[in-house]
Amino acid sequence: MFYAISGEDIPDSLEKRLAVRPEHLERIKILQEEGRLILAGPYPAIDSPDPGPAGFSGSLIVAEFESLEAARTWAEADPYVTSGVYGKLTVRPFKKTLP
């Protein structure tokens, strides 16, 4: 089943985010290589594809996991969680309808 993982950044998270971004992306690339990733990306803090120093307000990952517990366990081990980039993490089932 698919799960939506949504993380909300703490204020002024850009420095922390950039520091652990390579580790974060590496985990997501593994999901992609395994054919389990539907989409992933950040929420710009301002209405711009390149928010610059405004940074990001969070991220969304939609991927396939064996269970809600497996999705939560994976999400809680993410560098954005363990390093304190995210102040809030939500994991919930997701039903892909389109495309």
Side-chain angles (χ1 to χ4, degrees), residues 4 8 15-16 24 28-29 36 40 47 49 56 62 66 70 82:
E8 294 180 30
E15 187 176 327
K16 280 186 179 184
H24 169 77
I28 295 171
K29 286 178 187 176
R36 297 168 45 201
D47 189 12
F56 300 91
V62 178
E66 294 176 9
T82 60

Side-chain angles (χ1 to χ4, degrees), residues 40-82:
Y43 301 118
I46 59 173
D47 189 12
S48 172
D50 181 5
F56 300 91
S57 62
S59 306
L60 173 66
I61 300 167
V62 178
E64 185 176 22
F65 291 91
E66 294 176 9
S67 65
L68 179 58
E69 185 60 34
R72 280 191 181 125
T73 298
W74 185 90
E76 289 169 355
D78 191 89
Y80 283 180
V81 174
T82 60

